[in-house]
Amino acid sequence: MSSTFSDRRGGVGEEFSAVALVEELQARGREVDPLVNAVCTPDPAALTHAARLDTERDEGRVRGPLHGVPVLVKDNIDTADLPTTAGSLALVEQPPPLQDAPLVRRLREAGCVVLGKTNLSEWANFRGSASSSGWSAYGGLTRNPYALNRSAGGSSSGSGAAVAAGLADYAIGTETNGSIVCPAALNGIVGLKPTVGLISQQGIVPISHSQDTAGPMTRTVSQAAALLTVITGGGTDYSESCRGTDLSDVRIGVPRGPLWGYSTGLDEVTERALGLLSRCGATLIDHLSLPTPGGDEDQLQVLAHELKVDLASYLATRAPGGPRTLDDLIAFNKEHADVELQWFGQELFERAAATEGLDSPIYVASRLTALRAGRDGIDDLLRDNQLDALVTPSYSPAWTIDLVNGDHVLGSSSSHAALAGYPLLSVPSGLVAGLPVGITFSGTARSDATLIRLAHAFETARIMADGPFPTPEFTQWV
């Protein structure tokens, strides 16, 4: 039977069942996913779960606003009934524990239907320095729906491309430094990287306990807010922050410097976005600067040290017989070099394997430098200028896929928040030569609700000015 509930575009009043919606999305997947390659493992039981949830609704049992809503989950997050591979062949035959990660359990308890797992940049883009975002040995190459020769970004490539391609309106990604906001910007969707620690990292293949977090990737800000409410446990209803366009009580800082200037088209779109924020009543404090983050060496030391320790702890939860350490994974990749190492190496794995633990003076010093650049840089700028948040361009337009030479990222705005463990929210702002670009709101720890309010106001104002964001046409070349 059909039931009335919020439809996949966020409206209310259209009658359809969860089963009908899952069938619609599966048909859409059969049509367009061969072009995009966003979903690596569909859930064969999705229709069964949807039917059960429809029965519950017809019996008057509604679990919440997302009852019956389909969701895709990145393939580095444990699901009890589907493989979790992080894109690597090394984990294909080594099942995770027969339980969902806490965030997946919360999705199911809220009535969401897990449609399947999305492809990612293998090992969340921390194996070799010349990697191509969106490629994994297990899932192959994910492409950008707006131009199939362009990158979908990473490492949450499949989640970003899937939402843009209409395979689901709700997906979960993970981020260490840009892995949610990058594919969100490149695919023209909303990506929210929450404050680190807001969502449990249990059951998620790690890189860094100080920087990793899962987060929503959705079509709209209100959908991201609803999804965040669920996966954080419901203690805060983030949907309450989606409340119109009046920002007259808000002060937003605009850091310039290296966060701008790497893409003329992106800068032009972002300047127009600043105008829309001003028309919403926000006070913009322009031409600010953030201190340059610690050098790449400090950042890499933190990630390398934490990866060795955190990944070993995670691998210990998997079924016996598989890899237990980075050395095991390095050996596996060498044994299967024709597939695993065909496009790029594993020098980041090798570097991490050589580290000496979290008591190492090198790690302690590098972590302190990272915190000073990220946390203190953001907090000092907010405090000194009495700001509620910051806004910057998100990422350069999608670059051409180049498996031989790797990614060609011109610039981004995620590093300070990554080092600090602070939240980011990327929302579409326009097109450059037919390719999506976005703006990113950032703030201090636990300012997630504030960022949602600002992004929702901007999104509403942009739609009022320009209409709905253009849908992808799956062109071969841009």
Side-chain angles (χ1 to χ4, degrees), residues 181-229:
V181 295
C182 169
L186 269 58
N187 290 282
I189 68 165
V190 174
L192 171 55
K193 173 227 170 180
T195 301
V196 171
L198 199 60
I199 298 167
S200 171
Q201 278 299 110
Q202 181 183 345
I204 303 178
V205 182
I207 294 176
S208 159
H209 63 263
S210 66
Q211 294 187 201
D212 289 351
T213 181
M217 302 181 72
T218 58
R219 202 173 277 277
T220 69
V221 175
S222 61
Q223 291 169 338
L227 199 52
L228 184 65
T229 298

Side-chain angles (χ1 to χ4, degrees), residues 249-273:
D249 60 336
V250 172
R251 290 169 60 87
I252 303 174
V254 185
R256 297 277 178 164
L259 300 177
W260 293 64
Y262 51 84
S263 168
T264 300
L266 173 62
D267 286 353
E268 291 173 353
V269 172
T270 308
E271 293 288 3
R272 186 171 185 275

Side-chain angles (χ1 to χ4, degrees), residues 11-363:
V12 176
E14 183 178 344
E15 289 194 7
F16 56 85
S17 68
V19 165
L21 181 52
V22 169
E23 289 177 333
E24 174 191 340
L25 294 174
Q26 289 177 336
R28 175 70 172 171
R30 290 190 294 271
E31 176 188 0
V32 305
D33 202 38
L35 299 172
V36 178
N37 195 39
V39 179
C40 58
T41 309
D43 187 346
L47 280 172
T48 301
H49 297 318
R52 175 173 50 80
L53 290 162
D54 278 343
T55 298
E56 288 185 11
R57 182 179 291 277
D58 291 337
E59 293 173 348
R61 292 181 290 145
V62 179
R63 302 187 185 199
L66 298 187
H67 186 108
V69 170
V71 179
L72 286 163
V73 177
K74 187 176 178 180
D75 188 26
N76 62 347
I77 302 172
D78 286 347
T79 42
D81 50 354
L82 296 171
T84 301
T85 73
S88 171
L89 300 179
L91 298 186
V92 172
E93 301 299 330
Q94 187 207 13
L98 297 179
Q99 61 183 17
D100 292 326
L103 77 84
V104 176
R105 184 178 68 248
R106 286 172 173 167
L107 289 173
R108 298 193 202 270
E109 290 172 349
C112 295
V113 179
V114 175
L115 279 178
K117 308 292 278 287
T118 53
N119 192 32
L120 69 157
S121 310
E122 186 168 328
W123 295 111
N125 239 354
F126 200 77
R127 193 196 77 188
S129 57
S131 62
S132 291
S133 291
W135 181 87
S136 72
Y138 174 73
L141 177 65
T142 298
R143 298 178 179 273
N144 192 310
Y146 284 84
L148 297 175
N149 64 317
R150 298 270 171 172
S151 177
S155 65
S156 304
S157 319
S159 296
V163 173
L167 306 184
D169 278 9
Y170 297 79
I172 301 294
T174 66
E175 175 156 333
T176 304
N177 185 346
S179 288
I180 288 175
V181 295
C182 169
L186 269 58
N187 290 282
I189 68 165
V190 174
L192 171 55
K193 173 227 170 180
T195 301
V196 171
L198 199 60
I199 298 167
S200 171
Q201 278 299 110
Q202 181 183 345
I204 303 178
V205 182
I207 294 176
S208 159
H209 63 263
S210 66
Q211 294 187 201
D212 289 351
T213 181
M217 302 181 72
T218 58
R219 202 173 277 277
T220 69
V221 175
S222 61
Q223 291 169 338
L227 199 52
L228 184 65
T229 298
V230 168
I231 61 178
T232 55
T236 300
D237 184 357
Y238 291 95
S239 296
E240 294 179 351
S241 298
C242 299
R243 55 174 193 265
T245 61
D246 182 9
L247 299 179
S248 56
D249 60 336
V250 172
R251 290 169 60 87
I252 303 174
V254 185
R256 297 277 178 164
L259 300 177
W260 293 64
Y262 51 84
S263 168
T264 300
L266 173 62
D267 286 353
E268 291 173 353
V269 172
T270 308
E271 293 288 3
R272 186 171 185 275
L274 297 182
L276 287 175
L277 288 168
S278 292
R279 286 196 283 279
C280 289
T283 299
L284 300 183
I285 312 302
D286 206 343
H287 300 289
L288 301 176
S289 61
L290 279 165
T292 302
D296 289 344
E297 181 61 26
D298 287 314
Q299 297 181 58
L300 285 174
Q301 288 287 4
V302 171
L303 298 184
H305 280 78
E306 293 187 359
L307 175 68
K308 182 177 180 179
V309 174
D310 297 347
L311 189 55
S313 295
Y314 170 80
L315 291 173
T317 71
R318 308 276 301 210
R324 285 291 184 264
T325 66
L326 268 175
D327 286 333
D328 293 340
L329 293 171
I330 290 167
F332 178 93
N333 291 337
K334 290 178 179 178
E335 292 168 6
H336 301 83
D338 58 330
V339 178
E340 285 287 357
L341 304 180
Q342 62 179 312
W343 297 118
F344 59 92
Q346 54 179 341
E347 61 272 18
L348 295 177
F349 266 16
E350 291 167 344
R351 175 175 183 156
T355 59
E356 298 180 351
L358 302 185
D359 293 329
S360 163
I362 295 174
Y363 169 75

